[in-house]
Amino acid sequence: MSLLIWEHHEDHVELLSDTLVTDADGVTPVCYQSKVWALPNLNLAMATVGTAEIGVHFYQTLMQVDAGEDIEAVNDVAPELLRHIRDRLAEQRPDDGISTITLFGFPKGSERVAVYSYTSRDDAEFESKREGLGKVSVKPGPQEFTLEYPETYEATIELACRIRDEQDRFREEGKEFVRIGGELQATRVSNGRVDRAVWHRFPDYDADLPTGEL
């Protein structure tokens, strides 16, 4: 799984994600990797939470779409593509995890960003859901403290670190948890561009992957 925070503005989306990828056990670090992917040929970006292979295969498929298409065309075929990818991967290795893919992009001729999400949670079968303007999404959300939506750079980092600390404590207590680590990468999706910056590096960055794997 992953940490993913995003806010939907009229003409752009701001996202923050960690970069730790774990093995199928959800615990063992495998590598550090961005979980927000730019697709310039489609004027959109996608964020992945859950099974990494599904996100990677979906991204590779979308990179082959004709440059004349846009997020609306992708949305028309995304549920079927994601189900096909999941079923094909399941033949190779069963996966009981939950995957959520979110697309952020601009329909042709529009300055308003559209956001669509697809999840396998609760047997949703990756059906398309259009997210409303102004939505703020925090996953995983805090469970034992009150969520206050951050309005500054510093507050967003503080929220992410508090969520990570809470999830680490759940792991120590034997509860269900999400492993969060690596760096916090901020991404801004606007019309015709995707900008990215590293906002924070967790103190155990080198300890989790001492060989410096990427």
Side-chain angles (χ1 to χ4, degrees), residues 68-197:
E69 303 291 353
D70 64 359
I71 188 170
E72 299 295 351
V74 172
N75 178 61
D76 288 341
V77 299
E80 182 178 355
L81 284 175
L82 287 165
R83 288 191 290 264
H84 175 72
I85 291 169
R86 179 206 52 200
D87 294 345
R88 181 157 47 88
L89 291 174
E91 294 175 358
Q92 304 169 17
R93 187 186 70 183
D95 175 41
D96 296 327
I98 295 168
S99 296
T100 300
I101 309 294
T102 309
L103 300 180
F104 312 88
F106 291 80
K108 292 176 65 175
S110 175
E111 295 294 326
R112 296 170 62 94
V113 64
V115 181
Y116 291 99
S117 63
Y118 318 86
T119 186
S120 60
R121 181 181 296 277
D122 299 327
D123 300 320
E125 287 294 296
F126 296 112
E127 293 301 327
S128 172
K129 177 184 178 183
R130 181 153 188 162
E131 303 290 357
L133 179 65
K135 177 174 179 179
V136 179
S137 176
V138 180
K139 295 185 182 303
Q143 297 183 37
E144 296 185 354
F145 66 90
T146 301
L147 174 62
E148 296 182 4
Y149 293 118
E151 297 182 358
T152 66
Y153 160 94
E154 294 83 4
T156 306
I157 294 175
E158 180 182 1
L159 173 61
C161 290
R162 287 189 70 186
I163 291 173
R164 180 182 190 254
D165 290 344
E166 182 179 66
Q167 293 294 324
D168 283 348
R169 178 164 51 80
F170 290 163
R171 176 160 61 105
E172 294 171 356
E173 295 172 353
K175 300 178 181 178
E176 185 176 348
F177 69 94
V178 174
R179 186 78 189 270
I180 298 168
E183 295 176 326
L184 292 175
Q185 286 189 350
T187 305
R188 181 185 175 101
V189 181
S190 50
N191 199 0
R193 62 186 293 170
V194 176
D195 299 297
R196 180 175 294 146

Side-chain angles (χ1 to χ4, degrees), residues 3 10 34-35 56 64 71 103 121 124 160 174 194 201 208-209:
L3 170 73
E10 183 173 357
S34 176
K35 298 171 185 177
V56 169
Q64 300 171 11
I71 188 170
L103 300 180
R121 181 181 296 277
V194 176
R201 175 171 286 187
D208 276 344
L209 291 171

